[in-house]
Amino acid sequence: MGFFSRHRSAENAKERLQLVLIHDRTDLSPGQLEALKDDLLKAISGYIDIDPQAVQIRLERDGRSQRLVADIPLRSVSRRRAG
Amino acid sequence: MTAQIITVTSGKGGVGKTTAVANLATALAADGRKVVCIDGDIGLRNLDVVMGLENRIVYDIVDVIEGRCKLRQAMIRDKHYPELYLIPAAQTRDKNAVSASDMKRICNEIKPDADFILIDSPAGIERGFRNAIAPADRVLVITNPEVSAVRDADRVVGILEAEEKGNPSLILNRLNPALVRNNDMLSAEDVLDLLGIHLIGIVPEDEAVIIGSNRGAPVVTDARSRAGQAFRNIAKRLQGEEVPFMDLYSQGGFWGALQKWTRRK
Ligand SMILES: Nc1ncnc2c1ncn2[C@@H]1O[C@H](COP(=O)(O)OP(=O)(O)O)[C@@H](O)[C@H]1O
Ligand SMILES: [Mg+2]
């Protein structure tokens, strides 16, 4: 452990708490969240063409409420034809 | 008169529930309010020693519930404030001796004759905690600026939300300003941002708290203690007064004096 890592542990505490609280509040473990993401991707790809690498799905905190935020860039039809 | 019923709870043990109840009750009594404290920690009675009343106990809350005495007989009068009372927890009986409706009934009986009823909750989120919050008009969640204490406080706030117990207020206890300055302790802002509830007070870490509890004299009776001042401020806020938050970060000693002096116009 380096010199600096012994300090500023408050940031560490806050980051860890942010994650722990989100999972506690939603009763969703990190593993379940990953499974949810996979299922969502599968469901969406059945209708539209998406790039799984570009998709971002995460839990966000807003005061005392949580939201599941998904940012899913869609490939446009014209691009697909051109490509 | 109709008393406001306030429960202090935390999830985690040892964060300062009993200390807060003893101090808030004493500060309210010092402000001329009629206050009854109830120790809800059945089997782990402690509010009596923190208030210095352990030698006066004859009956306890289970004696009231099981009809061995009248409510009045179990109300121990404080040594200094004639309108401050304690109803002690039972020390030997099993926890199931008290139910939520017993707590409500006792509070209803006291309500017309008091300004405040303060309930000290046990740690945890089981029966004793449920009993303690059942009669509450208002809940104060107390925590320390540490990961496990904040996590447990969040669980409790979640349960209070689910039970529709109104919006709880937060007491952040044992804040160490020097550690916060060095970024080695969560700040009040951090904890508030994480928990997302209303803040009613920040109590600094203060050895006067321990000295007070050794003597059975809550720290609010020590005019010079910072923690005592913080608890007195919270008591004022409970009475509806607006009191500015203390500046916990101003440094004492020579440099502090110098800084204050140079800041003066
Ligand atoms: N602000 C404070 N500064 C220093 N010590 C404190 C402070 N608040 C509480 N303590 C100490 O912490 C310990 C636990 O407090 P207590 O009120 O018994 O917690 P709880 O009732 O939540 O279990 C006690 O020894 C008490 O004196
Ligand atoms: Mg206690």
Side-chain angles (χ1 to χ4, degrees):
Chain A
M1 202 189 257
F3 176 77
F4 290 106
S5 58
R6 283 190 290 121
H7 293 273
R8 302 194 162 269
S9 61
E11 275 162 42
N12 231 300
K14 190 168 185 191
E15 281 163 17
R16 291 173 63 220
L17 267 165
Q18 274 166 339
L19 282 175
V20 166
L21 294 193
I22 262 191
H23 293 296
D24 280 359
R25 287 176 186 179
T26 52
D27 204 10
L28 205 61
S29 69
Q32 285 172 311
L33 184 61
E34 283 311 308
L36 168 68
K37 283 181 190 173
D38 289 345
D39 284 355
L40 261 176
L41 286 186
K42 257 182 238 148
I44 294 166
S45 337
Y47 295 88
I48 36 181
D49 192 12
I50 55 172
D51 172 8
Q53 301 301 314
V55 170
Q56 281 189 16
I57 300 173
R58 61 187 181 277
L59 280 167
E60 268 183 13
R61 223 164 33 96
D62 178 15
R64 286 209 56 81
S65 46
Q66 284 63 237
R67 61 189 72 212
L68 185 66
V69 178
D71 182 357
I72 307 168
L74 304 181
R75 287 187 183 139
S76 69
V77 181
S78 54
R79 267 250 209 106
R80 251 189 287 161
R81 277 195 197 121
Chain B
M1 217 189 281
T2 175
Q4 196 188 1
I5 306 172
I6 300 173
T7 297
V8 178
T9 192
S10 65
K12 190 170 157 60
V15 299
K17 294 176 290 297
T18 303
T19 304
V21 168
N23 277 288
L24 295 176
T26 307
L28 288 166
D31 286 342
R33 304 289 174 164
K34 190 166 180 190
V35 186
V36 180
C37 313
I38 303 178
D39 189 344
D41 203 346
I42 307 298
L44 291 171
R45 175 201 285 170
N46 259 332
L47 192 53
D48 56 339
V49 286
V50 176
M51 294 176 77
L53 299 174
E54 67 274 17
N55 291 330
R56 304 187 170 199
I57 296 178
V58 181
Y59 296 110
D60 60 48
I61 192 165
V62 175
D63 293 320
V64 178
I65 290 164
E66 295 180 352
R68 279 183 294 277
C69 70
K70 294 214 166 67
L71 179 59
R72 279 270 150 201
Q73 294 174 285
M75 287 170 56
I76 301 161
R77 189 195 294 262
D78 185 68
K79 285 184 280 193
H80 305 289
Y81 298 101
E83 300 221 293
L84 171 59
Y85 294 88
L86 165 69
I87 301 177
Q91 185 65 313
T92 52
R93 270 160 224 288
D94 120 66
K95 288 184 188 178
N96 299 325
V98 182
S99 71
S101 59
D102 292 328
M103 290 295 283
K104 285 186 190 161
R105 194 169 46 78
I106 288 172
C107 288
N108 278 334
E109 204 177 323
I110 302 168
K111 230 175 165 172
D113 302 315
D115 297 306
F116 288 94
I117 301 173
L118 264 55
I119 303 175
D120 185 14
S121 158
I125 49 176
E126 284 89 41
R127 181 166 184 157
F129 156 77
R130 305 260 170 194
N131 289 345
I133 63 166
D137 298 314
R138 178 166 193 186
V139 179
L140 306 183
V141 173
I142 185 164
T143 192
N144 301 153
E146 285 179 54
V147 175
S148 55
V150 172
R151 182 191 199 176
D152 289 358
D154 190 71
R155 281 279 284 143
V156 165
V157 173
I159 293 170
L160 294 168
E161 276 176 342
E163 306 265 306
E164 296 178 350
K165 285 304 299 180
N167 294 323
S169 301
L170 181 74
I171 300 177
L172 182 58
N173 187 30
R174 305 192 78 156
L175 186 102
N176 181 327
L179 278 184
V180 174
R181 253 197 314 267
N182 288 337
N183 289 306
D184 272 324
M185 179 175 268
L186 290 165
S187 68
E189 291 74 21
D190 290 337
V191 175
L192 277 180
D193 176 46
L194 287 159
L195 292 179
I197 62 170
H198 164 257
L199 177 72
I200 193 164
I202 306 167
V203 182
E205 171 83 24
D206 184 348
E207 55 192 42
V209 172
I210 293 159
I211 295 166
S213 73
N214 287 341
R215 296 195 171 125
V219 75
V220 287
T221 56
D222 176 350
R224 284 167 309 172
S225 152
R226 307 272 277 161
Q229 183 63 48
F231 279 123
R232 287 194 294 274
N233 288 352
I234 297 172
K236 297 272 185 223
R237 294 183 192 115
L238 289 175
Q239 295 169 82
E241 269 182 58
E242 271 192 38
V243 186
F245 283 89
M246 290 162 62
D247 176 13
L248 295 171
Y249 298 98
S250 70
Q251 304 192 331
F254 172 74
W255 287 108
L258 187 69
Q259 269 187 346
K260 266 182 213 144
W261 185 78
T262 51
R263 246 187 267 135
R264 234 183 271 153
K265 292 217 179 106

